[in-house]
Amino acid sequence: MGNCAGRTDFEWVYTDQPHTQRRKEMLAKYPAIKNLMRPDPNLKWTVMAMVLAQLVACYLARGLTWRWLLFWAYTFGGCVNHSLTLAIHDISHNTAFGTGRAAYNRWFAVFANLPVGVPYAASFKKYHVDHHRYLGGDGLDVDVPTRLEGWLFCTPARKLLWLALQPFFYSLRPLCVHPKAVTRMEVFNALVQLAVDAAIFALWGLKPVAYLLASSLLGLGLHPISGHFVAEHYMFLKGHETYSYYGPLNWITFNVGYHVEHHDFPSIPGCNLPLVRKIAPEYYDHLPQHHSWVKVLWDFVFEDSLGPYARVKRVCKLAEDSL
């Protein structure tokens, strides 16, 4: 397999995740933060515009050569589809219609899923709850790579390949780490997605469908926006398991870069996360942060101390209530 330098295991900790205690302290000190826990009034309109943009792009892709189709799938479609997956992330926290209309959020996530080309939204919701409740939890948080990934993808070339194949690892890892029963919502998500894919194929042919799938595979793979996958929880500094990024790419990613703030307050929509930092800067300004997602990817590939093993893991007890 070649020589692997750097880490040979995860960073095991035996403490609870820090976000729960910080949330309690901040709400006691700044009760105004509770006012930020409301739906994003612009989210549904933004998502609808993005879905429409990709449908128009599908129509235009009919006459493209394969070379130009892949170019536009990476440069335009990849940005839109990756952004839509982050909209689905926000919607999974009921930020489109509020917690009182949870079903509306689930259905709208299926709509946001349409340009992605494969059913994603319902399964993401099912597992993302565990990511927040059991951050780094062994066998529970499927955001953490497997031991096989840590052992295998440990050289620059292999780490580069691992980054390019992120859509596959994120899709398959839950089935290996923490398989769950298929839900009715997942079946609905799959049927709707397949029906739309079939309709696009029947109306406009193969290339528009290939454009959507390429947009997802390329946009979620080795792409500047994909730096957030690594930036959020990979241990760049010992003792820190969650990091924020406050740069301009937040403008097209629903502020997913405000990731410490997001884990402190998952029910606050991305549009309001900068206000959390503004209200309580003493909780965030001193924390290590990333300034470039591209640099994050570069360091991940070429630094021996970084790789799939560079994650905090903890043993968690199963909770009975829902997030």
Side-chain angles (χ1 to χ4, degrees):
M1 295 299 296
N3 295 323
C4 288
R7 301 187 64 93
T8 58
D9 197 3
F10 299 103
E11 181 77 9
W12 287 90
V13 299
Y14 301 94
T15 58
D16 293 334
Q17 59 166 296
H19 302 285
T20 304
Q21 182 59 35
R22 184 160 55 225
R23 183 185 308 125
K24 294 178 180 178
E25 292 179 8
M26 292 178 66
L27 287 175
K29 187 174 182 180
Y30 299 108
I33 290 177
K34 292 182 180 179
N35 297 329
L36 303 178
M37 300 176 185
R38 59 180 187 269
D40 177 353
N42 297 317
L43 180 57
K44 52 185 171 293
W45 306 115
T46 303
V47 168
M48 290 171 67
M50 294 168 70
V51 171
L52 178 62
Q54 280 294 71
L55 289 177
V56 172
C58 280
Y59 178 79
L60 297 176
R62 296 174 306 153
L64 293 178
T65 64
W66 286 106
R67 180 184 301 178
W68 280 107
L69 185 148
L70 292 175
F71 171 82
W72 288 111
Y74 186 85
T75 58
F76 176 75
C79 295
V80 177
N81 276 14
H82 198 138
S83 186
L84 280 170
T85 66
L86 295 173
I88 291 169
H89 164 256
D90 228 23
I91 296 165
S92 75
H93 292 286
N94 297 319
T95 58
F97 297 96
T99 55
R101 294 190 284 182
Y104 287 19
N105 290 284
R106 302 291 82 77
W107 298 333
F108 190 62
V110 171
F111 171 77
N113 193 153
L114 296 180
V116 178
V118 294
Y120 161 82
S123 297
F124 176 82
K125 166 65 178 177
K126 182 172 69 175
Y127 285 102
H128 190 63
V129 169
D130 290 341
H131 172 62
H132 278 272
R133 180 185 286 152
Y134 308 114
L135 181 63
D138 185 33
L140 296 170
D141 183 0
V142 299
D143 189 66
V144 179
T146 62
R147 285 189 177 275
L148 177 61
E149 292 171 75
W151 172 76
L152 183 59
F153 298 100
C154 54
T155 66
R158 293 185 217 161
K159 287 190 282 186
L160 195 67
L161 177 63
W162 185 79
L163 291 172
L165 297 178
Q166 278 303 290
F168 298 100
F169 287 111
Y170 265 80
S171 300
L172 298 176
R173 190 185 299 138
L175 304 178
C176 302
V177 175
H178 191 202
K180 296 184 178 184
V182 176
T183 65
R184 291 182 179 179
M185 198 65 200
E186 285 178 293
V187 174
F188 174 73
N189 190 176
L191 292 176
V192 170
Q193 188 65 56
L194 290 173
V196 170
D197 290 347
I200 292 174
F201 176 77
L203 289 171
W204 299 328
L206 176 62
K207 284 187 175 179
V209 177
Y211 164 79
L212 291 180
L213 294 175
S215 295
S216 296
L217 292 175
L218 297 174
L220 293 165
L222 196 60
H223 193 281
I225 297 177
S226 294
H228 80 87
F229 286 133
V230 176
E232 292 165 359
H233 297 295
Y234 284 80
M235 196 173 59
F236 282 74
L237 290 176
K238 188 176 179 64
H240 295 274
E241 60 181 307
T242 307
Y243 302 78
S244 284
Y245 156 81
Y246 301 120
L249 287 179
N250 279 301
W251 300 342
I252 59 172
T253 57
F254 299 93
N255 284 332
V256 75
Y258 286 77
H259 215 66
V260 178
E261 294 86 342
H262 171 62
H263 272 264
D264 287 346
F265 302 99
S267 59
I268 293 180
C271 65
N272 287 339
L273 290 176
L275 297 177
V276 174
R277 185 187 180 207
K278 184 177 181 180
I279 291 172
E282 70 273 21
Y283 284 91
Y284 300 107
D285 287 352
H286 69 287
L287 297 176
Q289 58 186 253
H290 294 294
H291 301 284
S292 166
W293 281 341
V294 173
K295 186 177 187 301
V296 163
L297 294 174
W298 179 273
D299 290 344
F300 182 84
V301 170
F302 293 107
E303 292 287 339
D304 289 339
S305 62
L306 295 171
Y309 268 141
R311 289 290 297 261
V312 167
K313 289 195 79 172
R314 52 173 54 88
V315 177
C316 298
K317 294 181 179 179
L318 288 173
E320 296 181 358
D321 59 330
S322 60
L323 183 70

